[in-house]
Amino acid sequence: AQKITQTQPGMFVQEKEAVTLDCTYDTSDQSYGLFWYKQPSSGEMIFLIYQGSYDEQNATEGRYSLNFQKARKSANLVISASQLGDSAMYFCAMREAPSHQAGTALIFGKGTTLSVSS
Amino acid sequence: GAVVSQHPSRVICKSGTSVKIECRSLDFQATTMFWYRQFPKQSLMLMATSNEGSKATYEQGVEKDKFLINHASLTLSTLTVTSAHPEDSSFYICSAGDARYNEQFFGPGTRLTVL
């Protein structure tokens, strides 16, 4: 079974609109971390936002917020006021058992390509 | 945040040659680094976990003798693609974690083309 599921291969949005990118995850660990990364066509991986499994508040970073619904095992990314520069591939990722954070790899979903038009 | 560099950014080689890719943590020490492989418009697939001073841990299906990993210092891991073939053409990207931060930091990636 996939650990991270992103069901939207592509999403299209107009500038200034908000968009939600879906992500569900599967883990039996109580302690885990959830991440969203952006990958533009250049290939670099840009960290956007992090949510720990014990965090009660949804994470927010500027125009990015993470809608964390633990019981449903979902961690959707919300981008408010989309910009042309937001066009990229977006990956949801999970790190299980982050007791030693630096030493545990991330598991990535298949990604969603976001296209923002003017 | 922390910075990870990767070199070269792009390499083209002939079939049968070996290619070495370097991954460096510039402002922190990384006991563990990770190597991923990514095909166009696909996800990042973990190839191996590189541990400083010990053998790398490879994911199922990844050939150890094909993809040699060396992590000789706390700031450098290398991936050598031995006897490269066209099917090894891909985007290779490394990452490392810094205990001060939650996220993993990624190098800019290496685009390998084998002719």
Side-chain angles (χ1 to χ4, degrees), chain A residues 37 39 50 95 101 106 109, chain B residues 34 36 38 43 101-102 104:
Chain A
Y37 282 83
Q39 188 180 42
Y50 166 81
R95 178 178 57 217
Q101 299 172 3
L106 300 186
Chain B
F34 305 98
Y36 294 85
Q38 185 182 30
S43 185
Y101 305 97
N102 287 310
Q104 286 276 320

Side-chain angles (χ1 to χ4, degrees), chain A residues 35 37 39 41-45 47 50 89 91 95 101-106 108-110, chain B residues 32 34 36 38 41-44 46 91 93 97-99 101-106 108 111:
Chain A
F35 304 79
Y37 282 83
Q39 188 180 42
S41 56
S42 60
E44 61 182 313
M45 293 291 286
F47 167 71
Y50 166 81
M89 197 151 185
F91 290 100
R95 178 178 57 217
Q101 299 172 3
T104 307
L106 300 186
F108 286 87
K110 292 187 174 182
Chain B
T32 305
F34 305 98
Y36 294 85
Q38 185 182 30
K41 299 195 184 300
Q42 294 190 23
S43 185
L44 281 73
L46 180 67
F91 188 62
I93 190 165
D98 182 338
Y101 305 97
N102 287 310
E103 67 267 37
Q104 286 276 320
F105 295 92
F106 286 82
R111 200 163 299 280

